Amino acid sequence: QVQLVESGGGLVQPGGSLRLSCAASGSIPRFNVMGWYRQAPGKERELVATISSVGTTNYTDFVKGRFTISRDNAKNTVYLQMNSLKPEDTAVYYCNVQWWGMNYWGKGTLVTVSS
């Protein structure tokens, strides 16, 4: 059984920063891809960023230069450092881990960017 637990969401003013964390537990193979997705009200879930177990990263265009994804393989934890936040970044952020067709999700953490 794989579990993902996100933390670090909250309310932040435009231009501010937040750091999300996601701890994974269970039977997770050494080679996997962890990532962050988000879903804003009334919209579909979308990719934010992913990082492989060897450190290869992928960002969607709207976060490039503002968000940084990283991971600690020893802790099976993935992070998302979010800077220069905008109101349109408001969403529930979901952690994801996948490998060889297996796909697991966390329950999400709410990020609200508002003055």
Side-chain angles (χ1 to χ4, degrees), residues 10-91:
L11 174 64
V12 63
Q13 292 187 341
S17 298
L18 279 177
R19 188 191 193 211
L20 305 183
S21 300
C22 172
S25 60
S27 298
I28 302 173
R30 180 179 177 183
F31 298 103
N32 60 75
V33 176
M34 299 188 77
W36 291 95
Y37 293 72
R38 71 186 188 186
Q39 187 167 16
K43 295 188 177 181
E44 294 186 351
R45 191 173 299 187
E46 60 184 359
L47 169 70
V48 176
T50 62
I51 183 168
S52 73
S53 49
V54 295
T56 302
T57 58
N58 176 50
Y59 295 92
T60 194
D61 286 345
F62 54 76
V63 304
K64 285 182 179 178
R66 299 190 299 125
F67 293 8
T68 303
I69 191 169
S70 60
R71 64 186 288 166
D72 183 335
N73 288 336
K75 297 180 179 179
N76 267 344
T77 300
V78 63
Y79 307 95
L80 186 68
Q81 178 66 43
M82 304 185 294
N83 299 328
S84 302
L85 283 160
K86 306 175 182 180
E88 50 264 44
D89 293 318
T90 294

